[in-house]
Amino acid sequence: MTDHALRLLRQDARLAELATFPFNFDLARADHDHVEPVRLASGGPLEAVAGDDTGGTYFVCADGSVLYADSEGSAGIIGSSVDEALEILIGLPGWHDYMDLSPEDGEKTILGRIAEIEDEIREDYSIDAERAELRAALGLPERSPVELVGLLHAALLRTEPDFLLLNGEELCAYDLLDRHPRPPLWEPVLAQGRADLALLRAGDRAVWDAVPEDPVRRRLALRAAQFDRAEGDHGLLRHLMRHEASSSMTDELRLAAVLVGLRGDVSDLPLLHEVRETDYDTHCGLSEIPQPGAGAAELLRWAQELDDSLFGTDPADEPLCTWTELALDQGMTEIARVALIRRLDEIVMDQGTLRRAGDPKRLETSRLSSLARELERAGDLLQALRAQRLYATLQDTAWDRVSARLTQARLERDSGQLPYAASTLRSLRDILADPGDDSFRHWRGVNLGRFIAEEHYALTRALADAGLPADARTVLTAADAILGELSENAANGVRELAEQTAERVREVS
């Protein structure tokens, strides 16, 4: 597909006028900004090429796809190119009313809806002669309405993950234009694991050797086995568990041990204990495995209790982080990013979603810090910072407030927001001066104190490198003051950094 039709519209005033009315694709509105600044979550480019009389904007993305954003906070792909989008807009002038339709609705339903809407349009103005003229002039094929609905439906379903639109300032995501169901996150994430599990069960020797040696494929195969349990999996589960132990204590190692233990076969106990003693972490993480000599009932009870509390057979019950971490492990960055941003938006809009089930007066803010870490891992520092800032505001104790602001300052520095980082460190120092509780009374002799000093020096260096020597000197003074308060052991690890930073500030002053 090309942008041939767009070029013709730009060259011919008569055609541009027809596109504007009655088909509401107004090239002149491209010169006006959208109702608010917007950007793609992926960071890809957007070019506004037209708008409509409701405040909506048509953007062209890097691959030529056309993204339509309305003025109410919804957006979606409506064509794989401008040509295809114009086919839909001209062929379906009431296209906004057809976004809930799909080919599965059948020809009769689709044609009935279109006839009803177009009859309503014709009561106000004509569309048939204008449609025929514009199609012919632009060289667009005369597709059936049913085919055009199919094109629109397929385009809308491509919106996520690659074309998630964000408010450019608040960074919250636009809603989808349509409400068609999408596959749950776990389906694409688990696809490789399900395929490998099938081959392992079939006795494929190449897969039998390759999957256990690949940490990601091994974890995925174990997750697939969690949700698709079969009597004949005993051997492959033991095989995968032996190799998973090489990654030390992981959720998947515990899962493998549970799946093996659910057979209630005491002959598995020697292997379970061998795995448990892999290292200190596995010893602690699997410490409750029944001792050698335990009976089948005890082994089975241990496995069932863990299965009920931590695992189960429904992938929809797994926490979001299970799937986003596995997505990132496989390089499915955009799939993970969309899910994480959507979850963050839910929390930003309603912090009540953080209430603890057993204690609704308290919030489980660790979900926000987890989101910040995963978004940073996905390479989205701005979204990570959005999560971290909210997390920092919800902390109660001095220790937690300082720890949260320390991470916030680092993210601000890493994302180039140096003045914000300096302000965050100032608020951190205010807490040091007046903590309000005794949770932070030992900060001078612990690692957190050293980390605070190191972040001050790191920001000093960043300010100096950015050509802001006065600001760098201000933060350096604060850093030296913090260093002077640290215990001897804590300060020893920072002094070389302090000297190097001071030298850098002298170079730019």
Side-chain angles (χ1 to χ4, degrees), residues 23 92 148 156 163 168 200 216-217 281 292 319 398 401 482 484 496:
F23 302 106
L92 301 172
L148 291 174
L156 289 167
F163 304 101
L200 287 168
V216 176
R217 291 179 68 181
D281 289 337
R401 294 199 305 274
I482 291 170
E496 183 177 354

Side-chain angles (χ1 to χ4, degrees), residues 254-325:
R254 183 178 286 106
L255 169 62
V258 166
L259 293 176
V260 169
L262 284 172
R263 291 179 52 83
D265 187 343
V266 294
S267 67
D268 288 322
L269 280 171
L271 175 59
L272 289 169
H273 279 274
E274 176 187 333
V275 167
R276 187 183 72 174
E277 299 307 317
T278 300
D279 57 30
Y280 178 76
D281 289 337
T282 56
H283 176 84
C284 295
L286 298 174
S287 62
E288 295 181 358
I289 290 176
Q291 294 301 312
E298 185 179 354
L299 174 60
L300 185 58
R301 183 171 57 253
W302 166 79
Q304 286 177 333
E305 288 177 355
L306 272 184
D307 191 28
D308 291 343
S309 63
L310 297 178
F311 300 111
T313 59
D314 188 349
D317 292 338
E318 283 293 317
L320 177 68
C321 61
T322 296
W323 305 121
T324 53
E325 287 175 4

Side-chain angles (χ1 to χ4, degrees), residues 73-361:
S74 297
I77 296 293
I78 62 166
S80 62
S81 68
V82 178
D83 283 11
E84 184 176 282
L86 284 169
E87 280 191 62
I88 293 168
L89 301 183
I90 296 167
L92 301 172
W95 68 273
H96 290 276
D97 295 312
Y98 310 140
M99 288 188 294
D100 62 322
L101 293 174
S102 75
E104 286 72 28
D105 291 309
E107 182 174 338
K108 181 179 179 180
T109 297
I110 293 172
L111 292 179
R113 174 82 66 82
I114 291 172
E116 178 184 354
I117 297 298
E118 292 198 352
D119 284 346
E120 292 177 359
I121 293 173
R122 291 186 186 97
E123 292 177 2
D124 297 318
Y125 50 83
S126 65
I127 55 174
D128 299 301
E130 291 82 357
R131 176 159 51 196
E133 179 183 353
L134 194 53
R135 268 178 173 165
L138 297 180
L140 301 177
E142 189 172 343
R143 300 185 193 272
S144 72
V146 174
E147 187 176 359
L148 291 174
V149 165
L151 288 175
L152 176 60
H153 177 70
L156 289 167
L157 290 181
R158 288 200 305 112
T159 304
E160 292 184 356
D162 294 322
F163 304 101
L164 179 66
L165 192 67
L166 305 178
N167 175 292
E169 296 174 346
E170 298 176 358
L171 300 181
C172 54
Y174 271 51
D175 293 330
L176 291 169
L177 274 178
D178 68 282
R179 293 297 180 265
H180 292 295
R182 265 73 170 177
L185 175 62
W186 63 264
E187 282 194 6
V189 173
L190 201 56
Q192 178 67 60
R194 297 167 84 180
D196 281 340
L197 180 61
L199 293 172
L200 287 168
R201 287 171 172 170
D204 187 309
R205 289 307 308 178
V207 174
W208 184 268
D209 294 335
V211 169
E213 294 297 329
D214 185 318
V216 176
R217 291 179 68 181
R218 186 173 66 233
R219 293 174 64 202
L220 288 166
L222 284 167
R223 287 294 179 178
Q226 174 185 350
F227 306 114
D228 179 15
R229 304 182 183 191
E231 285 294 326
D233 286 350
H234 186 221
L236 69 88
L237 289 171
R238 288 170 58 96
H239 184 52
L240 293 172
M241 182 173 67
R242 285 182 183 275
H243 286 78
E244 184 61 20
S246 65
S247 294
S248 191
M249 192 63 238
T250 65
D251 288 339
E252 284 71 29
L253 180 61
R254 183 178 286 106
L255 169 62
V258 166
L259 293 176
V260 169
L262 284 172
R263 291 179 52 83
D265 187 343
V266 294
S267 67
D268 288 322
L269 280 171
L271 175 59
L272 289 169
H273 279 274
E274 176 187 333
V275 167
R276 187 183 72 174
E277 299 307 317
T278 300
D279 57 30
Y280 178 76
D281 289 337
T282 56
H283 176 84
C284 295
L286 298 174
S287 62
E288 295 181 358
I289 290 176
Q291 294 301 312
E298 185 179 354
L299 174 60
L300 185 58
R301 183 171 57 253
W302 166 79
Q304 286 177 333
E305 288 177 355
L306 272 184
D307 191 28
D308 291 343
S309 63
L310 297 178
F311 300 111
T313 59
D314 188 349
D317 292 338
E318 283 293 317
L320 177 68
C321 61
T322 296
W323 305 121
T324 53
E325 287 175 4
L326 287 170
L328 293 172
D329 287 342
Q330 296 177 80
M332 299 178 176
T333 303
E334 295 310 316
I335 287 178
R337 190 205 307 264
V338 168
L340 293 167
I341 291 174
R342 292 289 189 197
R343 177 59 56 83
L344 177 56
D345 284 351
E346 291 174 7
I347 296 172
V348 169
M349 294 299 293
D350 181 9
Q351 293 177 22
T353 60
L354 296 175
R355 295 188 190 282
R356 298 185 180 186
D359 187 1
K361 293 183 178 180

